[in-house]
Amino acid sequence: MIEYIKGELTELTPTYATVEAAGVGYGLNISLNTYSALQNKSNRGSAGLVKVYVYEAIREDAYVLYGFYNKKEREMFELLITVSGVGANTARMMLSGMTVSELCNAISTGNAKFIQNAKGVGKMTAQRIIVDLKDKIVALGIADEIPAGGTLQAPVNNAVRDEAVAALTMLGFAPAPTQKVVVQILQQQPDAPVEQVVKLALKQIK
């Protein structure tokens, strides 16, 4: 499995990028958000070197690579294509029309109309996305800015968050409610160390 490709960006369009690594040119289907990120990186004079996370779509008649500027976008893409009626192209279209944070916020608040703004997504599909992914985006940490109330807040210390959630999960607590409590604590006490976060969370998790 290809986790990511790191190499020279040799071609870039709003929907497609070619990255050359070890003499091999990898063609990647990308979203507009990834296009903007790669374009900005290239404009900053980094000698064309980029790191792109990869999703491999292997079918009987094709082998297609999708590229993402960060893991969050790839994780959201992978979740979207698990929903009935959402294929890879539709998922890429959704991630072109809205950021991961915007999509997470729409899912967490049940805003089907916002999701329907994406081309090819109807009312029923938007509702399925909300129902199927509302808990998953929290459990996987994609919506780490979204507390229990569902509105976006300032980012938290991801390293502390991940360590605290991992420790609490090992103690037997479910990932989704644990994630919410840990994020809420870090929103209130952004400089709290892992040990303190875990202690506070143990008092709050039901």
Side-chain angles (χ1 to χ4, degrees):
M1 185 183 84
I2 301 175
E3 172 66 12
Y4 63 82
I5 298 171
K6 187 175 183 179
E8 182 181 359
L9 182 65
T10 60
E11 180 184 350
L12 181 65
T13 74
T15 59
Y16 193 82
T18 301
V19 179
E20 183 178 338
V24 178
Y26 295 90
L28 304 158
N29 293 282
I30 60 174
S31 70
L32 282 175
N33 288 321
T34 290
Y35 166 74
S36 297
L38 292 175
Q39 189 177 49
N40 289 337
K41 185 174 180 65
S42 179
N43 289 340
R44 287 198 299 267
S46 54
L49 293 177
V50 296
K51 180 179 180 180
V52 183
Y53 292 91
V54 175
Y55 174 82
E56 300 173 85
I58 303 173
R59 305 192 301 267
E60 291 184 3
D61 59 342
Y63 175 50
V64 182
L65 300 179
Y66 292 87
F68 307 91
Y69 190 64
N70 57 39
K71 287 186 177 181
K72 295 288 187 184
E73 188 183 30
R74 183 178 65 181
E75 289 170 352
M76 177 56 78
F77 176 88
E78 290 174 336
L79 285 179
L80 286 170
I81 61 176
T82 66
V83 178
S84 176
V86 180
N89 287 331
T90 299
R92 181 172 61 152
M93 187 72 68
M94 293 179 68
L95 292 169
S96 292
M98 59 192 81
T99 65
V100 173
S101 293
E102 288 172 338
L103 183 52
C104 283
N105 196 33
I107 292 171
S108 68
T109 58
N111 190 346
K113 288 187 177 180
F114 181 82
I115 298 174
Q116 285 177 248
N117 288 331
K119 183 179 179 181
V121 178
K123 182 178 180 180
M124 293 298 294
T125 300
Q127 292 174 342
R128 278 198 298 269
I129 289 171
I130 292 169
V131 171
D132 291 358
L133 303 186
K134 192 169 186 177
D135 291 333
K136 293 180 181 178
I137 61 173
V138 175
L140 289 179
I142 299 175
D144 53 18
E145 309 94 342
I146 303 177
T151 56
L152 291 173
Q153 303 289 335
V156 299
N157 186 319
N158 290 338
V160 173
R161 180 207 66 202
D162 291 344
E163 286 188 50
V165 171
L168 290 163
T169 301
M170 290 180 64
L171 291 173
F173 295 99
T178 297
Q179 176 91 16
K180 291 180 181 179
V181 171
V182 168
V183 169
Q184 287 176 329
I185 292 170
L186 286 172
Q187 291 287 354
Q188 298 168 1
Q189 303 183 44
D191 297 324
V194 174
E195 297 81 1
Q196 184 178 348
V197 174
V198 171
K199 288 180 182 178
L200 291 171
L202 286 172
K203 297 177 182 179
Q204 298 181 35
I205 299 175
K206 297 179 180 180

